[in-house]
Short mmCIF file of all heavy atoms in Angstrom, two decimals:
data_model
loop_
_atom_site.label_atom_id
_atom_site.label_comp_id
_atom_site.label_asym_id
_atom_site.label_seq_id
_atom_site.Cartn_x
_atom_site.Cartn_y
_atom_site.Cartn_z
N LEU A 340 -234.88 -236.39 53.52
CA LEU A 340 -234.77 -234.94 53.70
C LEU A 340 -234.92 -234.17 52.40
O LEU A 340 -235.10 -232.94 52.43
CB LEU A 340 -233.42 -234.59 54.35
CG LEU A 340 -233.21 -235.13 55.75
CD1 LEU A 340 -231.79 -234.87 56.22
CD2 LEU A 340 -234.22 -234.53 56.72
N THR A 341 -234.87 -234.86 51.28
CA THR A 341 -235.13 -234.18 50.01
C THR A 341 -236.62 -234.16 49.69
O THR A 341 -237.11 -233.25 49.02
CB THR A 341 -234.37 -234.86 48.85
OG1 THR A 341 -234.81 -236.22 48.72
CG2 THR A 341 -232.88 -234.84 49.12
N GLU A 342 -237.35 -235.16 50.17
CA GLU A 342 -238.80 -235.19 49.97
C GLU A 342 -239.50 -234.27 50.96
O GLU A 342 -240.44 -233.55 50.60
CB GLU A 342 -239.33 -236.62 50.13
CG GLU A 342 -240.84 -236.73 49.96
CD GLU A 342 -241.37 -238.13 50.19
OE1 GLU A 342 -240.58 -239.01 50.58
OE2 GLU A 342 -242.60 -238.33 49.99
N PHE A 343 -239.06 -234.32 52.21
CA PHE A 343 -239.65 -233.48 53.26
C PHE A 343 -238.69 -232.33 53.57
O PHE A 343 -237.65 -232.54 54.20
CB PHE A 343 -239.92 -234.31 54.51
CG PHE A 343 -241.05 -235.28 54.35
CD1 PHE A 343 -240.82 -236.54 53.84
CD2 PHE A 343 -242.35 -234.92 54.69
CE1 PHE A 343 -241.87 -237.45 53.67
CE2 PHE A 343 -243.40 -235.81 54.52
CZ PHE A 343 -243.16 -237.07 54.01
N GLN A 344 -239.03 -231.16 53.10
CA GLN A 344 -238.22 -229.99 53.36
C GLN A 344 -239.10 -228.75 53.40
O GLN A 344 -240.19 -228.74 52.81
CB GLN A 344 -237.12 -229.84 52.32
CG GLN A 344 -237.58 -229.82 50.89
CD GLN A 344 -236.39 -229.72 49.94
OE1 GLN A 344 -235.45 -228.94 50.16
NE2 GLN A 344 -236.42 -230.52 48.88
N PRO A 345 -238.66 -227.71 54.09
CA PRO A 345 -239.51 -226.52 54.26
C PRO A 345 -239.67 -225.75 52.96
O PRO A 345 -238.73 -225.64 52.16
CB PRO A 345 -238.74 -225.69 55.30
CG PRO A 345 -237.72 -226.61 55.89
CD PRO A 345 -237.40 -227.62 54.84
N ALA A 346 -240.86 -225.21 52.77
CA ALA A 346 -241.10 -224.20 51.75
C ALA A 346 -241.22 -222.86 52.48
O ALA A 346 -241.01 -222.78 53.68
CB ALA A 346 -242.37 -224.53 50.97
N VAL A 347 -241.55 -221.82 51.75
CA VAL A 347 -241.74 -220.52 52.38
C VAL A 347 -242.99 -220.58 53.26
O VAL A 347 -244.06 -221.00 52.80
CB VAL A 347 -241.89 -219.41 51.33
CG1 VAL A 347 -242.18 -218.07 51.99
CG2 VAL A 347 -240.62 -219.32 50.48
N LYS A 348 -242.86 -220.20 54.52
CA LYS A 348 -243.98 -220.20 55.44
C LYS A 348 -244.68 -218.84 55.36
O LYS A 348 -244.06 -217.80 55.60
CB LYS A 348 -243.50 -220.45 56.87
CG LYS A 348 -242.60 -221.67 57.04
CD LYS A 348 -243.30 -222.98 56.80
CE LYS A 348 -242.39 -224.16 57.13
NZ LYS A 348 -243.03 -225.48 56.91
N GLU A 349 -245.94 -218.85 55.00
CA GLU A 349 -246.68 -217.61 54.79
C GLU A 349 -247.84 -217.49 55.77
O GLU A 349 -248.36 -218.48 56.27
CB GLU A 349 -247.21 -217.55 53.35
CG GLU A 349 -246.10 -217.56 52.29
CD GLU A 349 -246.66 -217.52 50.88
OE1 GLU A 349 -247.87 -217.82 50.72
OE2 GLU A 349 -245.90 -217.20 49.96
N GLU A 350 -248.23 -216.25 56.04
CA GLU A 350 -249.39 -215.99 56.90
C GLU A 350 -250.67 -216.41 56.20
O GLU A 350 -250.76 -216.38 54.97
CB GLU A 350 -249.45 -214.50 57.24
CG GLU A 350 -248.26 -213.99 58.06
CD GLU A 350 -248.30 -214.46 59.50
OE1 GLU A 350 -249.36 -214.96 59.93
OE2 GLU A 350 -247.28 -214.34 60.17
N PRO A 351 -251.69 -216.81 56.96
CA PRO A 351 -251.68 -216.96 58.43
C PRO A 351 -250.93 -218.22 58.84
O PRO A 351 -250.59 -219.07 58.00
CB PRO A 351 -253.17 -217.06 58.76
CG PRO A 351 -253.76 -217.73 57.56
CD PRO A 351 -253.01 -217.17 56.38
N VAL A 352 -250.68 -218.37 60.13
CA VAL A 352 -250.02 -219.56 60.64
C VAL A 352 -250.88 -220.78 60.32
O VAL A 352 -252.11 -220.75 60.46
CB VAL A 352 -249.81 -219.45 62.17
CG1 VAL A 352 -249.40 -220.79 62.77
CG2 VAL A 352 -248.75 -218.39 62.47
N LYS A 353 -250.23 -221.82 59.86
CA LYS A 353 -250.93 -223.04 59.44
C LYS A 353 -250.57 -224.18 60.38
O LYS A 353 -249.40 -224.43 60.67
CB LYS A 353 -250.55 -223.38 57.99
CG LYS A 353 -250.97 -222.30 57.00
CD LYS A 353 -250.44 -222.58 55.62
CE LYS A 353 -250.90 -221.50 54.63
NZ LYS A 353 -250.42 -220.15 55.01
N ILE A 354 -251.60 -224.86 60.82
CA ILE A 354 -251.46 -225.96 61.78
C ILE A 354 -251.94 -227.25 61.12
O ILE A 354 -253.01 -227.28 60.50
CB ILE A 354 -252.29 -225.70 63.05
CG1 ILE A 354 -251.85 -224.39 63.71
CG2 ILE A 354 -252.16 -226.86 64.03
CD1 ILE A 354 -252.79 -223.91 64.80
N ALA A 355 -251.16 -228.32 61.26
CA ALA A 355 -251.54 -229.61 60.69
C ALA A 355 -251.61 -230.66 61.79
O ALA A 355 -250.68 -230.80 62.59
CB ALA A 355 -250.55 -230.05 59.62
N LEU A 356 -252.72 -231.38 61.83
CA LEU A 356 -252.87 -232.55 62.70
C LEU A 356 -252.93 -233.76 61.79
O LEU A 356 -253.85 -233.89 60.97
CB LEU A 356 -254.15 -232.44 63.54
CG LEU A 356 -254.54 -233.66 64.38
CD1 LEU A 356 -253.45 -234.03 65.36
CD2 LEU A 356 -255.85 -233.41 65.12
N VAL A 357 -251.93 -234.62 61.90
CA VAL A 357 -251.83 -235.81 61.04
C VAL A 357 -251.82 -237.03 61.94
O VAL A 357 -250.89 -237.22 62.74
CB VAL A 357 -250.57 -235.77 60.16
CG1 VAL A 357 -250.53 -236.98 59.24
CG2 VAL A 357 -250.51 -234.47 59.35
N ALA A 358 -252.85 -237.87 61.85
CA ALA A 358 -252.94 -239.01 62.78
C ALA A 358 -253.85 -240.09 62.23
O ALA A 358 -254.91 -239.80 61.67
CB ALA A 358 -253.49 -238.54 64.13
N ARG A 359 -253.40 -241.32 62.37
CA ARG A 359 -254.25 -242.48 62.13
C ARG A 359 -255.01 -242.74 63.42
O ARG A 359 -254.43 -243.12 64.44
CB ARG A 359 -253.40 -243.69 61.75
CG ARG A 359 -254.22 -244.94 61.41
CD ARG A 359 -255.00 -244.77 60.14
NE ARG A 359 -255.84 -245.92 59.87
CZ ARG A 359 -256.75 -245.97 58.91
NH1 ARG A 359 -256.94 -244.93 58.13
NH2 ARG A 359 -257.48 -247.05 58.72
N MET A 360 -256.30 -242.50 63.40
CA MET A 360 -257.08 -242.46 64.63
C MET A 360 -257.53 -243.84 65.09
O MET A 360 -257.96 -244.67 64.30
CB MET A 360 -258.30 -241.56 64.42
CG MET A 360 -259.00 -241.15 65.70
SD MET A 360 -257.88 -240.50 66.96
CE MET A 360 -256.95 -239.30 65.99
N ASP A 361 -257.39 -244.07 66.42
CA ASP A 361 -258.00 -245.23 67.05
C ASP A 361 -258.56 -244.77 68.40
O ASP A 361 -258.45 -243.60 68.76
CB ASP A 361 -257.00 -246.38 67.22
CG ASP A 361 -255.76 -245.97 68.01
OD1 ASP A 361 -255.86 -245.11 68.91
OD2 ASP A 361 -254.67 -246.50 67.73
N HIS A 362 -259.14 -245.68 69.16
CA HIS A 362 -259.88 -245.26 70.35
C HIS A 362 -258.97 -244.66 71.41
O HIS A 362 -259.41 -243.78 72.17
CB HIS A 362 -260.66 -246.45 70.93
CG HIS A 362 -259.80 -247.52 71.54
ND1 HIS A 362 -259.12 -248.45 70.79
CD2 HIS A 362 -259.50 -247.79 72.85
CE1 HIS A 362 -258.46 -249.26 71.60
NE2 HIS A 362 -258.66 -248.88 72.84
N VAL A 363 -257.70 -245.08 71.49
CA VAL A 363 -256.84 -244.55 72.54
C VAL A 363 -256.37 -243.13 72.23
O VAL A 363 -255.94 -242.41 73.13
CB VAL A 363 -255.62 -245.47 72.79
CG1 VAL A 363 -256.08 -246.84 73.25
CG2 VAL A 363 -254.74 -245.57 71.56
N LYS A 364 -256.44 -242.73 70.98
CA LYS A 364 -256.02 -241.38 70.59
C LYS A 364 -257.20 -240.41 70.47
O LYS A 364 -257.00 -239.22 70.25
CB LYS A 364 -255.27 -241.41 69.26
CG LYS A 364 -253.96 -242.17 69.28
CD LYS A 364 -253.32 -242.13 67.89
CE LYS A 364 -252.01 -242.87 67.86
NZ LYS A 364 -251.40 -242.85 66.50
#
Side-chain angles (χ1 to χ4, degrees):
L340 296 173
T341 61
E342 179 183 5
F343 289 87
Q344 54 182 317
V347 176
K348 309 293 186 180
E349 298 179 343
E350 296 287 347
V352 168
K353 298 173 179 61
I354 301 168
L356 173 59
V357 182
R359 182 68 184 171
M360 195 49 49
D361 56 32
H362 69 282
V363 299
K364 296 180 180 179

